[in-house]
Amino acid sequence: MRNLSLAEIETLLDGQIDLRRRAGSIQPMRLPVAEQSFYDPFNRWVASAAAGVRLRLRTDSRSLRLTATQRLLAATTTPETRGAWDLYVDGALLARSFGQGGALMTADGGLTGDEAFVLAFEDLPAGDKLIELWLPQAATVGLTGLALDDGASLSPAPDLRPRILFHGSSITHCMEAEGASTGWPAVAARLAGVSHTNLGWAGSCMLSGLAARIIRDQPADAIVLKLGINVHAAGQLAARTFLDSAHAMVSIIREKHPLTPLVIASPIFSPPREEVVEGGGVSLRGMRTILADMVAVRQAAGDSTIRYLDGLSLFGPADAHLLPDDLHPNTEGYRLMGERFCALMLTGPDALVAA
């Protein structure tokens, strides 16, 4: 087989913010590598997980073999399996594989197993084709090798479609979904025929200036901020600071995206948190009101491309049976969210972007 160099592999990656380059491996990252020390350890880890990252290439190879190091976070909130790599050929899901090897990581950072990981696909369709291989959203992955058939053609396939950047919590990161491509941002983008970047950070969407700077500096034809749920616990932001932080995020993003369509989405339904106020914080119902009012104020101030999206329109009380832990949707719940977002925001004459 033909073994690609790391430099060649690097040209095939899409969906990451940056790359960590080590001797013998490259790791896609969803934060700037030079600023890793600015973030707390948990935020660093979830932003190192490969949500929305994929390899895109055109080739006539009938087989593909990938080697890597992988650390997969053990599932704790759902009985569904996760950690799959999804292989698309010419836009259609061809295979879902969990590969062989890789370490399993517990919430406290403990590891079991060997990080060495191998993934192989055989009997791919003949002829030239677009391959898109999605990395698992609940794992950190250091790519060490990619091999194609001897003599096979190869060219990068940059995604030139309009791009939507999503930022949010675990409910945007979608670690609980079974397949790497089954989080709701990926579902919505696929249905609409557009590209996307997933900047969902599990447990780490704090309405922060650091996140706003990343979003500000990324190419995007539309931006979606799914805000609120991570600051509910322990009342991390009171009503005044929640409003101020939301305004500050938008103002920072607008420095380089003054006219980019921007959606402010409020929390989805979570039964134990709807009316509960922790510490001096805000309930989910209160967050929805604050965010809706914030958007209205900015619209009145002249921002014509900002929109509010009520999170309950994506996932409401009638969907509660799809919340195994009363917080995170399961795979079916994420699919519904993606379909609903597409119908509400990516369809018709008022669509955020045109495919």
Side-chain angles (χ1 to χ4, degrees), residues 293-307:
D293 290 347
M294 184 268 283
V295 170
V297 165
R298 297 190 80 99
Q299 289 171 334
D303 191 335
S304 62
T305 61
I306 192 170
R307 306 188 200 181

Side-chain angles (χ1 to χ4, degrees), residues 23-94:
S25 73
I26 50 173
Q27 180 186 351
M29 302 283 287
R30 297 185 303 123
L31 52 61
V33 172
E35 298 184 357
Q36 289 178 84
S37 60
F38 297 177
Y39 297 79
D40 68 84
F42 185 78
N43 197 160
R44 284 202 300 271
W45 191 86
V46 297
S48 301
V53 178
R54 55 267 190 201
L55 287 158
R56 288 176 53 91
L57 58 147
R58 297 206 69 92
T59 183
D60 58 6
S61 182
R62 300 296 305 277
S63 62
L64 181 150
R65 185 178 186 275
L66 178 142
T67 58
T69 58
Q70 177 174 292
R71 295 184 176 189
L72 174 67
L73 184 64
T76 57
T77 62
T78 172
E80 292 185 295
T81 56
R82 63 181 179 186
W85 294 63
D86 286 351
L87 180 71
Y88 283 74
V89 174
D90 292 332
L93 179 63
L94 181 72

